[in-house]
Amino acid sequence: MPARLPALRLAAGRERSLHLRHPWVFSGAVAHVDGQPQAGDTVEVRAHDGALLALAAYSPQSQIRARVWSFAPVRVDAALLAERVRRAVAWRAAMLDARHDACRLVHGESDGLPGAIADRYGRVVVLQLLSAGAEAWRDAIADALVAHAGAACVVERSDADVRALEGLAPRSGVLRGELPDPVLMHEGGLVYAVDVLRGQKTGFYLDQRDNRRIVGERVRGAEVLNAFCYTGGFTFAALAGGAKSVLSIDSSAEALAAARANLARNAWLHGTAEWLEGDVFAALRRLREAGRRFDAVVLDPPKFAPTAKHAPKAARAYKDVNLWALKLLRPGGLLATFSCSGGIDAALFQKIVAGAALDAGADAVIEARLTASADHPVALAFPEGDYLKGLLVRRR
Ligand code: SAH
């Protein structure tokens, strides 16, 4: 154990979550800070009786006052973080091949790297540093991605709102290598250009990879509606799966422009693509009034409820879109409906969709329960990582 690290001493009884290997120490659990740690510094986490529980990154401004690097008494240094990156990358090797060269390489807490996200698009890796601890080890993590992930270019996209909670300013730009233009990636044999500097999140919603395949396999000959389409992930998966037509809706003009450009890159696709810029809530009502009906509907809205506090309002929004989607669905049709809200768990989401079906007068069954793709693992000790849930619902 390195000598004289600063230490957080917990209030009596507050060590329990650390015994359960949960990696967060909340501010209310800290009784005393020994020494003068700065943001991102490694600190010891000690129980009220002084027992060493973990080594963690200190974040003085955040409610999550420290995030655990290790529950074992090891030295927290660049070599430790590089080994975590190496292990995370190696574990995903089998998920990449000529048809799929994009995946999440590092998934924060679930990969032992709290606050660090790395997404791979071809040979470009996009890094998001969302906590004071991850921020402090920027260079070590970027170097490890070059060494272990074969990244020709590492780009930083640390501009998510959650950084403000850690007292961190937004930051983005190229960290290593040169950025190709365009950045191209392949998923399911489709090619996409990804705007890694200005696109949403790190540029693409990799968490829906398996679900795009699942939907693509079920829509041959179908008329499909893809609501909240972003750059057209589900649209292209559906067209590749033989859909007759896809109507895609998003409020972002930039996302739709990128989607149209992606269609041109996959010129072999048959089927008709129609793009609609606008608000999904209003658009679904208008489609219904216009008498449109679909054989399949995909609903992949943004995070309406980041935390449980937002759940009641978010629940109404989820119910509304699901209700109108079900009204637009022909009997026998398929609804693929998602929530990426941490504040709404799978059981509540199912209740909301059930309520929507009831109000829509739709008799429906759950064909499958969907989650984030396998490259977004959920550590058993960190259930907060289980944010994406989906239902494949068949209208009878
Ligand atoms: N399914 C997509 C990801 C969707 S992300 C994929 O596989 O890539 C959610 C999208 O919803 C974003 O593109 C955002 O621009 C869009 N959005 C958010 N609110 C909206 C609204 N009220 N109406 C239409 N689109 C909206």
Side-chain angles (χ1 to χ4, degrees):
M1 176 58 49
R4 292 188 304 278
L5 278 177
L8 306 187
R9 193 163 303 238
L10 302 188
R14 296 303 294 265
E15 67 280 0
R16 190 177 140 74
S17 67
L18 286 123
H19 285 314
L20 297 174
R21 293 285 191 270
H22 192 279
W24 290 352
V25 177
F26 286 98
S27 58
V30 178
H32 187 71
V33 181
D34 300 329
Q36 290 175 329
Q38 305 297 303
D41 284 355
T42 301
V43 294
E44 297 174 351
V45 181
R46 292 191 175 272
H48 194 62
D49 66 4
L52 181 65
L53 299 168
L55 293 160
Y58 185 56
S59 186
Q61 295 201 30
S62 175
Q63 288 299 309
I64 306 172
R65 193 53 47 94
R67 298 180 194 231
V68 172
W69 291 121
S70 177
F71 292 99
V74 295
R75 197 182 160 83
V76 176
D77 57 11
L80 179 88
L81 275 84
E83 172 53 20
R84 298 268 168 93
V85 171
R86 190 202 61 74
R87 189 181 68 184
V89 169
W91 182 72
R92 289 159 172 91
M95 299 177 201
L96 296 164
D97 56 39
R99 299 179 79 242
H100 302 92
D101 62 7
C103 79
R104 175 149 296 185
L105 292 176
V106 173
H107 191 44
E109 277 73 357
S110 295
D111 280 304
L113 290 163
I117 300 291
D119 286 343
R120 176 193 150 132
Y121 302 111
R123 294 198 58 208
V124 174
V125 175
V126 185
L127 182 60
Q128 253 189 340
L129 303 171
L130 303 176
S131 65
E135 169 93 2
W137 294 97
R138 171 182 287 108
D139 284 333
I141 298 171
D143 287 341
L145 288 166
V146 172
H148 300 301
C153 175
V154 180
V155 177
E156 179 169 8
R157 274 300 299 280
S158 302
D159 51 12
D161 295 343
V162 290
R163 266 176 73 95
L165 303 176
E166 299 267 326
L168 301 170
R171 232 184 110 135
S172 44
V174 177
L175 294 179
R176 300 287 185 276
E178 265 182 49
L179 187 63
D181 182 23
V183 175
L184 295 179
M185 61 158 266
H186 298 84
E187 181 187 89
L190 294 153
V191 58
Y192 296 87
V194 183
D195 186 346
V196 297
L197 286 175
R198 284 164 300 270
Q200 297 181 23
K201 302 228 277 187
T202 65
F204 201 74
Y205 288 83
L206 290 172
D207 53 359
Q208 290 284 26
R209 165 175 151 175
D210 293 351
N211 299 328
R212 285 188 281 263
R213 176 182 52 75
I214 287 167
V215 168
E217 286 168 356
R218 286 163 172 78
V219 292
R220 180 161 297 282
E223 293 181 85
V224 180
L225 171 64
N226 179 14
F228 308 99
C229 67
Y230 187 46
T231 54
F234 280 100
T235 305
F236 298 116
L239 292 173
K244 182 177 160 202
S245 67
V246 185
L247 168 59
S248 308
I249 311 175
D250 203 282
S251 55
S252 161
E254 296 81 27
L256 290 174
R260 282 197 176 89
N262 282 334
L263 184 61
R265 284 189 180 86
N266 296 280
W268 56 275
L269 291 173
H270 299 293
T272 321
E274 198 187 336
W275 308 98
L276 186 64
E277 183 188 331
D279 173 40
V280 164
F281 292 86
L284 297 186
R285 288 168 167 80
R286 278 203 304 275
L287 289 167
R288 168 86 189 182
E289 279 161 24
R292 295 278 297 262
R293 295 293 181 272
F294 299 89
D295 306 304
V297 179
V298 178
L299 282 183
D300 185 21
K303 199 178 347 182
F304 292 146
T307 68
K309 182 178 82 191
H310 307 90
K313 184 155 176 256
R316 286 194 290 278
Y318 284 115
K319 180 166 176 192
D320 189 78
V321 280
N322 280 280
L323 170 71
W324 287 92
L326 284 157
K327 286 188 182 201
L328 287 165
L329 201 59
R330 295 193 174 106
L334 189 71
L335 170 67
T337 180
F338 299 94
S339 163
C340 60
S341 291
I344 299 219
D345 66 15
L348 176 55
F349 185 56
Q350 182 174 327
K351 272 190 202 138
I352 293 167
V353 176
L358 195 64
D359 288 6
D363 177 19
V365 295
I366 296 172
E367 261 185 28
R369 294 170 202 281
L370 307 173
T371 63
S373 303
D375 51 348
H376 294 58
V378 181
L380 283 169
F382 185 66
E384 290 87 344
D386 197 10
Y387 64 98
L388 182 65
K389 47 251 144 200
L391 293 172
L392 211 51
V393 168
R394 181 74 65 179
R395 180 165 187 180
R396 294 200 280 209

